[in-house]
Amino acid sequence: MPTDEFNRKWYWDFRKNAWYCLRCNNCKWIDNWEVKDARFARICPSNAYYLFDTYAAQGRMDVSLDLIDGVLKYEDDPEILDILYACNTCGGCDVMCKGVHDMSPINVILEMRAKMVEDGQLLPQYLPILESLRREDNTMLGKKADRGKWAEGLGIKNLAEESAEVAFFTGCRFSFDEELWKIPRAIAGIFKDAGVDFGIMGKDENCCGSRPAQMGFKGEFTKYAENNIDAWKNAGVKTVVTACSDGYYAMKRLYPEVGSKVEVLHMVEFLARLIEQGKIKLTKKVPMKVTYHDPCHLGRRLSQAISVFNPNERSMGIYEPPRDIIKAIPGVEMVEMFRNRECAWCCGAGGGVIDTYPDFNSYTATQRIIEAQETGAEAIVTACPWCERSLGDAIKETGAKIKVIDLVELVDSARQRGGK
Ligand code: SF4
Ligand code: SF4
């Protein structure tokens, strides 16, 4: 991914970051002025679940420093792998740490994972995912040939053969999670009605590389980023739109390092643009009380990459646009959870945890469902297929009386069609 010079600088930076840790505990809790209820004061899911300091950023800094300096060796304790891999890479620690200290624990954790992959220290649970990436270019253990199946019968342009102004990047989860196909299908309908010139890569779409990067597979990330950038160039694409927050983070924040020049928008931003242009009219009443779950990679993770990847670009998480869209829908009542925006609790899926630590994943998602139910909302609206899968599964497991929906579904129910 980055240049050698970049790597050398970053290697020094991340050791220095780990060394700088004050052991202050800030990375375990949301800012105290943001605490509205003691039950919802934590920010680090892995610390809350495993209840050991080593499973918070603070302990991970100690373990990382000792591994970098050779004081600790992988063979000293098999749990070292869990300490660094059982982390959602949600970035909650990073936001809270930055409140007291100029360092980036999340980047240390991510770099340590890359180092562990380089050192051959893989979780056995990673092997089928790695195999799926190498053979089928996706993280979902699906067949490459089936990647565009969700779009069958919709008559969408195939960007491997035709040009279009906008590429809709579906991503691994939406492509292979059949229960979620209704969302990209709704997006296709919205695009068509709004007159957007768009296409998809279908079976020729690759993984975006975001999940592999979170798991430490930098080589896979670079390969996929380069393939996708080339494919968009060949199809004359000017704007890439995705409804996956993980993918958006990678394409927006990491791809410029690999030479990407196209405009990248999350579906939330594209919806806001279409609404502003009058191409979507939210006229139908949707009587529903909802709360909004901020996906980590559409929120706080976006702002954390500034200093490393795009030093000159100011960026903040996308917090207000989804809320503005929800509030513009007639009949919808929007209520906030105790932890929102930068302080949002992760859905539990991130960092590969959905595939590697199912119990921890389920605990984290269930905590979010409990918090959402406290608001009295009938539905959790969000904007990421990983959150939808993780929260949706927790709802099924617990029998909670709440549902999870994508912002696209809400907009689709409220938009005017054919003058009505
Ligand atoms: S990224 Fe999230 S899960 Fe990992 S240490 Fe930080 S707060 Fe905890
Ligand atoms: S908040 Fe930052 S400095 Fe404080 S213990 Fe956590 S990682 Fe270390």
Side-chain angles (χ1 to χ4, degrees), residues 187-213:
I187 290 171
I190 291 172
F191 280 4
K192 281 190 178 172
D193 291 351
V196 177
D197 173 29
F198 78 105
I200 57 170
M201 293 302 301
K203 67 176 174 44
D204 294 313
E205 185 182 274
N206 286 307
C207 170
C208 66
S210 189
R211 289 259 142 177

PDB file of all heavy atoms in Angstrom, residues 187-213:
ATOM      1  N   ILE A 187     -31.594   0.646  -4.097  1.00  0.00           N
ATOM      2  CA  ILE A 187     -30.690   1.701  -4.590  1.00  0.00           C
ATOM      3  C   ILE A 187     -30.794   1.793  -6.113  1.00  0.00           C
ATOM      4  O   ILE A 187     -30.883   2.889  -6.685  1.00  0.00           O
ATOM      5  CB  ILE A 187     -29.233   1.415  -4.142  1.00  0.00           C
ATOM      6  CG1 ILE A 187     -29.117   1.627  -2.632  1.00  0.00           C
ATOM      7  CG2 ILE A 187     -28.231   2.294  -4.903  1.00  0.00           C
ATOM      8  CD1 ILE A 187     -27.809   1.170  -2.019  1.00  0.00           C
ATOM      9  N   ALA A 188     -30.809   0.632  -6.772  1.00  0.00           N
ATOM     10  CA  ALA A 188     -30.915   0.632  -8.240  1.00  0.00           C
ATOM     11  C   ALA A 188     -32.202   1.336  -8.673  1.00  0.00           C
ATOM     12  O   ALA A 188     -32.201   2.127  -9.629  1.00  0.00           O
ATOM     13  CB  ALA A 188     -30.872  -0.799  -8.761  1.00  0.00           C
ATOM     14  N   GLY A 189     -33.294   1.088  -7.954  1.00  0.00           N
ATOM     15  CA  GLY A 189     -34.574   1.732  -8.283  1.00  0.00           C
ATOM     16  C   GLY A 189     -34.500   3.243  -8.095  1.00  0.00           C
ATOM     17  O   GLY A 189     -34.984   4.018  -8.932  1.00  0.00           O
ATOM     18  N   ILE A 190     -33.868   3.662  -7.002  1.00  0.00           N
ATOM     19  CA  ILE A 190     -33.736   5.103  -6.722  1.00  0.00           C
ATOM     20  C   ILE A 190     -32.898   5.765  -7.819  1.00  0.00           C
ATOM     21  O   ILE A 190     -33.255   6.818  -8.350  1.00  0.00           O
ATOM     22  CB  ILE A 190     -33.095   5.318  -5.321  1.00  0.00           C
ATOM     23  CG1 ILE A 190     -34.067   4.881  -4.222  1.00  0.00           C
ATOM     24  CG2 ILE A 190     -32.665   6.769  -5.131  1.00  0.00           C
ATOM     25  CD1 ILE A 190     -33.484   4.867  -2.806  1.00  0.00           C
ATOM     26  N   PHE A 191     -31.786   5.129  -8.180  1.00  0.00           N
ATOM     27  CA  PHE A 191     -30.907   5.688  -9.222  1.00  0.00           C
ATOM     28  C   PHE A 191     -31.660   5.828 -10.545  1.00  0.00           C
ATOM     29  O   PHE A 191     -31.569   6.836 -11.225  1.00  0.00           O
ATOM     30  CB  PHE A 191     -29.691   4.780  -9.433  1.00  0.00           C
ATOM     31  CG  PHE A 191     -28.602   4.948  -8.400  1.00  0.00           C
ATOM     32  CD1 PHE A 191     -28.757   5.794  -7.322  1.00  0.00           C
ATOM     33  CD2 PHE A 191     -27.404   4.254  -8.518  1.00  0.00           C
ATOM     34  CE1 PHE A 191     -27.753   5.948  -6.374  1.00  0.00           C
ATOM     35  CE2 PHE A 191     -26.386   4.401  -7.583  1.00  0.00           C
ATOM     36  CZ  PHE A 191     -26.566   5.240  -6.506  1.00  0.00           C
ATOM     37  N   LYS A 192     -32.393   4.784 -10.900  1.00  0.00           N
ATOM     38  CA  LYS A 192     -33.114   4.815 -12.187  1.00  0.00           C
ATOM     39  C   LYS A 192     -34.132   5.944 -12.197  1.00  0.00           C
ATOM     40  O   LYS A 192     -34.207   6.719 -13.145  1.00  0.00           O
ATOM     41  CB  LYS A 192     -33.815   3.477 -12.434  1.00  0.00           C
ATOM     42  CG  LYS A 192     -32.843   2.434 -12.937  1.00  0.00           C
ATOM     43  CD  LYS A 192     -33.559   1.196 -13.405  1.00  0.00           C
ATOM     44  CE  LYS A 192     -32.529   0.217 -13.936  1.00  0.00           C
ATOM     45  NZ  LYS A 192     -33.074  -1.081 -14.243  1.00  0.00           N
ATOM     46  N   ASP A 193     -34.924   6.031 -11.129  1.00  0.00           N
ATOM     47  CA  ASP A 193     -35.960   7.072 -11.080  1.00  0.00           C
ATOM     48  C   ASP A 193     -35.358   8.471 -11.045  1.00  0.00           C
ATOM     49  O   ASP A 193     -35.975   9.430 -11.499  1.00  0.00           O
ATOM     50  CB  ASP A 193     -36.872   6.861  -9.858  1.00  0.00           C
ATOM     51  CG  ASP A 193     -37.729   5.610 -10.025  1.00  0.00           C
ATOM     52  OD1 ASP A 193     -37.729   5.040 -11.143  1.00  0.00           O
ATOM     53  OD2 ASP A 193     -38.387   5.189  -9.061  1.00  0.00           O
ATOM     54  N   ALA A 194     -34.143   8.587 -10.484  1.00  0.00           N
ATOM     55  CA  ALA A 194     -33.509   9.910 -10.401  1.00  0.00           C
ATOM     56  C   ALA A 194     -32.707  10.226 -11.667  1.00  0.00           C
ATOM     57  O   ALA A 194     -32.083  11.282 -11.768  1.00  0.00           O
ATOM     58  CB  ALA A 194     -32.602   9.963  -9.174  1.00  0.00           C
ATOM     59  N   GLY A 195     -32.698   9.294 -12.616  1.00  0.00           N
ATOM     60  CA  GLY A 195     -31.995   9.531 -13.885  1.00  0.00           C
ATOM     61  C   GLY A 195     -30.480   9.483 -13.766  1.00  0.00           C
ATOM     62  O   GLY A 195     -29.769  10.129 -14.542  1.00  0.00           O
ATOM     63  N   VAL A 196     -29.965   8.718 -12.811  1.00  0.00           N
ATOM     64  CA  VAL A 196     -28.505   8.620 -12.637  1.00  0.00           C
ATOM     65  C   VAL A 196     -27.938   7.647 -13.678  1.00  0.00           C
ATOM     66  O   VAL A 196     -28.468   6.544 -13.855  1.00  0.00           O
ATOM     67  CB  VAL A 196     -28.161   8.115 -11.205  1.00  0.00           C
ATOM     68  CG1 VAL A 196     -26.658   7.944 -11.035  1.00  0.00           C
ATOM     69  CG2 VAL A 196     -28.731   9.052 -10.152  1.00  0.00           C
ATOM     70  N   ASP A 197     -26.874   8.069 -14.376  1.00  0.00           N
ATOM     71  CA  ASP A 197     -26.197   7.191 -15.334  1.00  0.00           C
ATOM     72  C   ASP A 197     -25.223   6.316 -14.535  1.00  0.00           C
ATOM     73  O   ASP A 197     -24.144   6.768 -14.153  1.00  0.00           O
ATOM     74  CB  ASP A 197     -25.437   8.046 -16.361  1.00  0.00           C
ATOM     75  CG  ASP A 197     -24.580   7.191 -17.279  1.00  0.00           C
ATOM     76  OD1 ASP A 197     -24.942   6.021 -17.521  1.00  0.00           O
ATOM     77  OD2 ASP A 197     -23.532   7.697 -17.744  1.00  0.00           O
ATOM     78  N   PHE A 198     -25.642   5.081 -14.229  1.00  0.00           N
ATOM     79  CA  PHE A 198     -24.814   4.264 -13.340  1.00  0.00           C
ATOM     80  C   PHE A 198     -24.671   2.828 -13.848  1.00  0.00           C
ATOM     81  O   PHE A 198     -25.422   2.382 -14.718  1.00  0.00           O
ATOM     82  CB  PHE A 198     -25.410   4.239 -11.917  1.00  0.00           C
ATOM     83  CG  PHE A 198     -26.585   3.305 -11.752  1.00  0.00           C
ATOM     84  CD1 PHE A 198     -26.448   2.086 -11.097  1.00  0.00           C
ATOM     85  CD2 PHE A 198     -27.832   3.636 -12.270  1.00  0.00           C
ATOM     86  CE1 PHE A 198     -27.525   1.213 -10.950  1.00  0.00           C
ATOM     87  CE2 PHE A 198     -28.918   2.776 -12.127  1.00  0.00           C
ATOM     88  CZ  PHE A 198     -28.766   1.565 -11.465  1.00  0.00           C
ATOM     89  N   GLY A 199     -23.689   2.148 -13.285  1.00  0.00           N
ATOM     90  CA  GLY A 199     -23.486   0.741 -13.607  1.00  0.00           C
ATOM     91  C   GLY A 199     -22.806   0.037 -12.446  1.00  0.00           C
ATOM     92  O   GLY A 199     -22.435   0.673 -11.448  1.00  0.00           O
ATOM     93  N   ILE A 200     -22.667  -1.281 -12.581  1.00  0.00           N
ATOM     94  CA  ILE A 200     -21.965  -2.069 -11.550  1.00  0.00           C
ATOM     95  C   ILE A 200     -20.927  -2.953 -12.245  1.00  0.00           C
ATOM     96  O   ILE A 200     -21.035  -3.211 -13.442  1.00  0.00           O
ATOM     97  CB  ILE A 200     -22.932  -2.959 -10.733  1.00  0.00           C
ATOM     98  CG1 ILE A 200     -23.736  -3.901 -11.663  1.00  0.00           C
ATOM     99  CG2 ILE A 200     -23.870  -2.117  -9.890  1.00  0.00           C
ATOM    100  CD1 ILE A 200     -24.524  -4.970 -10.929  1.00  0.00           C
ATOM    101  N   MET A 201     -19.960  -3.433 -11.477  1.00  0.00           N
ATOM    102  CA  MET A 201     -18.967  -4.344 -12.054  1.00  0.00           C
ATOM    103  C   MET A 201     -19.466  -5.791 -12.021  1.00  0.00           C
ATOM    104  O   MET A 201     -18.865  -6.673 -12.622  1.00  0.00           O
ATOM    105  CB  MET A 201     -17.639  -4.264 -11.291  1.00  0.00           C
ATOM    106  CG  MET A 201     -16.886  -2.951 -11.416  1.00  0.00           C
ATOM    107  SD  MET A 201     -16.452  -2.443 -13.088  1.00  0.00           S
ATOM    108  CE  MET A 201     -15.452  -3.798 -13.633  1.00  0.00           C
ATOM    109  N   GLY A 202     -20.543  -6.041 -11.286  1.00  0.00           N
ATOM    110  CA  GLY A 202     -21.116  -7.388 -11.236  1.00  0.00           C
ATOM    111  C   GLY A 202     -20.107  -8.433 -10.792  1.00  0.00           C
ATOM    112  O   GLY A 202     -19.386  -8.242  -9.818  1.00  0.00           O
ATOM    113  N   LYS A 203     -20.018  -9.528 -11.551  1.00  0.00           N
ATOM    114  CA  LYS A 203     -19.124 -10.625 -11.143  1.00  0.00           C
ATOM    115  C   LYS A 203     -17.655 -10.208 -11.209  1.00  0.00           C
ATOM    116  O   LYS A 203     -16.786 -10.874 -10.642  1.00  0.00           O
ATOM    117  CB  LYS A 203     -19.380 -11.882 -11.971  1.00  0.00           C
ATOM    118  CG  LYS A 203     -19.017 -11.772 -13.438  1.00  0.00           C
ATOM    119  CD  LYS A 203     -19.229 -13.096 -14.134  1.00  0.00           C
ATOM    120  CE  LYS A 203     -19.029 -13.002 -15.639  1.00  0.00           C
ATOM    121  NZ  LYS A 203     -17.875 -12.235 -16.101  1.00  0.00           N
ATOM    122  N   ASP A 204     -17.371  -9.092 -11.897  1.00  0.00           N
ATOM    123  CA  ASP A 204     -15.983  -8.632 -11.996  1.00  0.00           C
ATOM    124  C   ASP A 204     -15.601  -7.667 -10.879  1.00  0.00           C
ATOM    125  O   ASP A 204     -14.476  -7.164 -10.851  1.00  0.00           O
ATOM    126  CB  ASP A 204     -15.747  -7.964 -13.361  1.00  0.00           C
ATOM    127  CG  ASP A 204     -15.873  -8.984 -14.484  1.00  0.00           C
ATOM    128  OD1 ASP A 204     -15.287 -10.067 -14.339  1.00  0.00           O
ATOM    129  OD2 ASP A 204     -16.586  -8.712 -15.467  1.00  0.00           O
ATOM    130  N   GLU A 205     -16.536  -7.394  -9.962  1.00  0.00           N
ATOM    131  CA  GLU A 205     -16.186  -6.528  -8.831  1.00  0.00           C
ATOM    132  C   GLU A 205     -15.303  -7.320  -7.864  1.00  0.00           C
ATOM    133  O   GLU A 205     -15.519  -8.506  -7.628  1.00  0.00           O
ATOM    134  CB  GLU A 205     -17.469  -6.071  -8.110  1.00  0.00           C
ATOM    135  CG  GLU A 205     -17.214  -5.069  -6.998  1.00  0.00           C
ATOM    136  CD  GLU A 205     -18.498  -4.669  -6.259  1.00  0.00           C
ATOM    137  OE1 GLU A 205     -19.194  -3.746  -6.720  1.00  0.00           O
ATOM    138  OE2 GLU A 205     -18.800  -5.303  -5.219  1.00  0.00           O
ATOM    139  N   ASN A 206     -14.296  -6.640  -7.306  1.00  0.00           N
ATOM    140  CA  ASN A 206     -13.431  -7.248  -6.276  1.00  0.00           C
ATOM    141  C   ASN A 206     -13.871  -6.791  -4.906  1.00  0.00           C
ATOM    142  O   ASN A 206     -14.502  -5.753  -4.775  1.00  0.00           O
ATOM    143  CB  ASN A 206     -12.004  -6.705  -6.407  1.00  0.00           C
ATOM    144  CG  ASN A 206     -11.282  -7.278  -7.570  1.00  0.00           C
ATOM    145  OD1 ASN A 206     -11.200  -8.482  -7.718  1.00  0.00           O
ATOM    146  ND2 ASN A 206     -10.752  -6.403  -8.398  1.00  0.00           N
ATOM    147  N   CYS A 207     -13.399  -7.484  -3.903  1.00  0.00           N
ATOM    148  CA  CYS A 207     -13.474  -6.960  -2.535  1.00  0.00           C
ATOM    149  C   CYS A 207     -12.820  -5.572  -2.550  1.00  0.00           C
ATOM    150  O   CYS A 207     -11.898  -5.326  -3.329  1.00  0.00           O
ATOM    151  CB  CYS A 207     -12.691  -7.905  -1.628  1.00  0.00           C
ATOM    152  SG  CYS A 207     -12.411  -7.293   0.038  1.00  0.00           S
ATOM    153  N   CYS A 208     -13.290  -4.651  -1.698  1.00  0.00           N
ATOM    154  CA  CYS A 208     -12.684  -3.311  -1.668  1.00  0.00           C
ATOM    155  C   CYS A 208     -11.342  -3.322  -0.947  1.00  0.00           C
ATOM    156  O   CYS A 208     -10.555  -2.393  -1.059  1.00  0.00           O
ATOM    157  CB  CYS A 208     -13.620  -2.325  -0.975  1.00  0.00           C
ATOM    158  SG  CYS A 208     -13.837  -2.700   0.776  1.00  0.00           S
ATOM    159  N   GLY A 209     -11.108  -4.366  -0.149  1.00  0.00           N
ATOM    160  CA  GLY A 209      -9.845  -4.464   0.584  1.00  0.00           C
ATOM    161  C   GLY A 209      -9.923  -3.950   2.010  1.00  0.00           C
ATOM    162  O   GLY A 209      -8.962  -4.064   2.770  1.00  0.00           O
ATOM    163  N   SER A 210     -11.076  -3.393   2.389  1.00  0.00           N
ATOM    164  CA  SER A 210     -11.175  -2.790   3.718  1.00  0.00           C
ATOM    165  C   SER A 210     -11.064  -3.836   4.832  1.00  0.00           C
ATOM    166  O   SER A 210     -10.282  -3.694   5.769  1.00  0.00           O
ATOM    167  CB  SER A 210     -12.498  -2.033   3.839  1.00  0.00           C
ATOM    168  OG  SER A 210     -12.517  -1.277   5.017  1.00  0.00           O
ATOM    169  N   ARG A 211     -11.862  -4.892   4.710  1.00  0.00           N
ATOM    170  CA  ARG A 211     -11.812  -5.957   5.737  1.00  0.00           C
ATOM    171  C   ARG A 211     -10.426  -6.604   5.772  1.00  0.00           C
ATOM    172  O   ARG A 211      -9.857  -6.787   6.840  1.00  0.00           O
ATOM    173  CB  ARG A 211     -12.886  -7.015   5.460  1.00  0.00           C
ATOM    174  CG  ARG A 211     -14.282  -6.502   5.731  1.00  0.00           C
ATOM    175  CD  ARG A 211     -14.796  -6.982   7.061  1.00  0.00           C
ATOM    176  NE  ARG A 211     -15.555  -5.926   7.689  1.00  0.00           N
ATOM    177  CZ  ARG A 211     -16.184  -6.051   8.850  1.00  0.00           C
ATOM    178  NH1 ARG A 211     -16.160  -7.180   9.499  1.00  0.00           N
ATOM    179  NH2 ARG A 211     -16.827  -5.045   9.372  1.00  0.00           N
ATOM    180  N   PRO A 212      -9.859  -6.972   4.602  1.00  0.00           N
ATOM    181  CA  PRO A 212      -8.495  -7.520   4.641  1.00  0.00           C
ATOM    182  C   PRO A 212      -7.523  -6.560   5.337  1.00  0.00           C
ATOM    183  O   PRO A 212      -6.689  -6.993   6.137  1.00  0.00           O
ATOM    184  CB  PRO A 212      -8.135  -7.700   3.167  1.00  0.00           C
ATOM    185  CG  PRO A 212      -9.445  -7.894   2.478  1.00  0.00           C
ATOM    186  CD  PRO A 212     -10.439  -7.080   3.246  1.00  0.00           C
ATOM    187  N   ALA A 213      -7.644  -5.248   5.069  1.00  0.00           N
ATOM    188  CA  ALA A 213      -6.735  -4.286   5.708  1.00  0.00           C
ATOM    189  C   ALA A 213      -6.933  -4.306   7.223  1.00  0.00           C
ATOM    190  O   ALA A 213      -5.968  -4.276   7.990  1.00  0.00           O
ATOM    191  CB  ALA A 213      -6.973  -2.883   5.155  1.00  0.00           C
TER     192      ALA A 213
END
